[in-house]
Amino acid sequence: MTGYASAQHGASATGAETDARSPQARRLGLEIRSVNSRFLDLSFRLPDELRALEPVLRTLLTSQLKRGKVEVRAALENDDGSGLQDPAPRLLQRINSLQDSVKAWLPDAAPLTVADALRLCANASHGPEDWSAAVPALAERALADLLAARAREGERLVAMLQDRLGQLRGLAQQAGPLVPQLVEQQRLRFMERWKEAMALTDGATLPEAARDRALTEATAFAIRIDVAEELTRLNSHLDEIERLLRKGGEVGKRLDFLIQELHREANTLGSKSAALELTRISVDMKVLIEQMREQVQNIE
């Protein structure tokens, strides 16, 4: 299912003043995006400093998510309040000394720009930072928000599926009485044809054997177009889908299977159709089932 959540860690996220040299002087932002997918597909876009924490994040996400194409992004930004700080003179002297040493061995090396010097000062000021505790905690917060968003979407999907289930039940109820009517019409049609055929021969009344043959043909036709078994199975599948929707939890794959079975019964209903009305019902069923299939693939 689709969803989006983000969380921040740092001075601006907590509102506390921090020293520019502390880890909290940098803001950590993390966001999780989820789109529909039949399987769980995780991707990470992390800065180099956080790459080592990818297995921890992966374990956390797989413990809570079962479906969806999920992307995790993280970024580290300076959060010192004023944007840029004056670099320490001793640090600048050290950088300049290092540059002179490099140029002594590599005379053609390009000199450092102001941007290069500021970046080196910023990296030296922060030093190595330990985000091993902050990143998982931040990911848990974002994941909780994502799950809440997906739960809200799930409620909307369940309402839609319940509506389609009701429409399918209505179509099944319409199809039920049609079969006996078709059988009776066909029986009368067989009898009339046999009477016409016998009248052309000798004009006598229809013999008992001919009558039995007509009834046998009508019975065979009734067996061919009987869809009572298909309607029974279809209603059984609808009952099971409703039960799973009420139960909740990880029901996506079971719903996938039941939707396939619904489609099978609707196809059989259409193939046995002997009337335009029954064909229309079969087509309408398949349209509703296809709508359900598209949404069921989003449910965990």
Side-chain angles (χ1 to χ4, degrees):
M1 293 186 289
T2 58
Y4 173 83
S6 64
Q8 290 77 37
H9 175 86
S12 63
T14 61
E17 294 296 331
T18 59
D19 180 69
R21 295 177 181 269
S22 68
Q24 275 66 31
R26 303 181 74 190
R27 182 174 66 248
L28 168 64
L30 187 143
E31 62 180 26
I32 306 176
R33 302 170 183 265
S34 171
V35 295
N36 299 326
S37 177
R38 294 183 63 186
F39 307 99
L40 181 60
D41 181 11
L42 300 178
S43 62
F44 297 86
R45 296 192 177 185
L46 307 175
D48 292 339
E49 296 172 71
L50 305 181
R51 281 293 178 188
L53 297 175
E54 181 177 324
V56 177
L57 295 175
R58 185 177 295 274
T59 300
L60 174 63
L61 293 175
T62 53
S63 68
Q64 298 290 327
L65 304 176
K66 302 303 178 184
R67 273 186 167 186
K69 184 176 178 60
V70 181
E71 181 182 58
V72 180
R73 292 172 177 258
L76 290 168
E77 299 177 358
N78 292 333
D79 190 25
D80 49 28
S82 61
L84 291 175
Q85 289 188 341
D86 294 336
R90 292 182 59 185
L91 188 54
L92 290 174
Q93 291 174 359
R94 177 60 177 162
I95 292 175
N96 187 56
S97 176
L98 291 173
Q99 178 177 234
D100 291 341
S101 299
V102 171
K103 291 185 70 66
W105 290 94
L106 302 172
D108 296 331
L112 291 174
T113 65
V114 174
D116 293 334
L118 290 175
R119 185 172 60 255
L120 290 172
C121 290
N123 292 338
S125 297
H126 292 303
E129 301 178 39
D130 183 9
W131 295 99
S132 58
V135 170
L138 198 63
E140 288 181 0
R141 285 169 45 196
L143 181 57
D145 292 342
L146 178 71
L147 292 174
R150 286 161 63 110
R152 291 190 294 270
E153 183 189 6
E155 292 174 357
R156 293 191 293 269
L157 289 179
V158 168
M160 186 281 291
L161 292 174
Q162 293 283 12
D163 175 71
R164 300 303 187 272
L165 290 175
Q167 294 184 51
L168 285 171
R169 289 191 185 280
L171 290 172
Q173 291 175 357
Q174 294 177 29
L178 291 177
V179 175
Q181 296 174 11
L182 291 172
V183 171
E184 179 61 21
Q185 292 173 6
Q186 192 65 18
R187 188 186 70 82
L188 295 175
R189 189 176 296 114
F190 275 127
M191 293 296 295
E192 290 172 359
R193 288 179 180 177
W194 278 101
K195 287 179 181 179
E196 291 173 359
M198 297 304 298
L200 291 175
T201 55
D202 56 6
T205 59
L206 185 64
E208 193 67 26
R211 186 186 301 274
D212 292 343
R213 176 67 182 275
L215 293 176
T216 301
E217 292 291 337
T219 301
F221 173 79
I223 294 174
R224 253 190 341 266
I225 70 167
D226 183 26
V227 293
E229 185 177 351
E230 284 75 13
L231 292 177
T232 299
R233 287 198 298 265
L234 188 142
N235 281 307
S236 175
H237 297 330
L238 295 179
D239 291 340
E240 181 63 12
I241 291 175
E242 285 188 342
R243 187 189 71 81
L244 291 175
L245 292 177
R246 288 193 301 268
K247 174 185 175 183
E250 299 175 15
V251 298
K253 292 183 179 180
R254 297 192 65 182
L255 289 175
D256 275 342
F257 171 76
L258 289 170
I259 292 298
Q260 292 176 8
E261 294 302 305
L262 284 179
H263 201 273
R264 190 195 311 276
E265 303 305 337
N267 271 334
T268 305
L269 191 67
S271 64
K272 288 187 173 183
S273 173
L276 184 61
E277 182 64 15
L278 203 56
T279 301
R280 180 195 65 78
I281 290 175
S282 173
V283 171
D284 290 346
M285 280 184 172
K286 286 190 280 190
V287 170
L288 293 172
I289 292 169
E290 189 60 32
Q291 293 174 357
M292 293 174 65
R293 184 202 303 275
E294 294 176 358
Q295 298 301 330
V296 159
Q297 292 178 356
N298 305 331
I299 296 178
E300 289 194 358

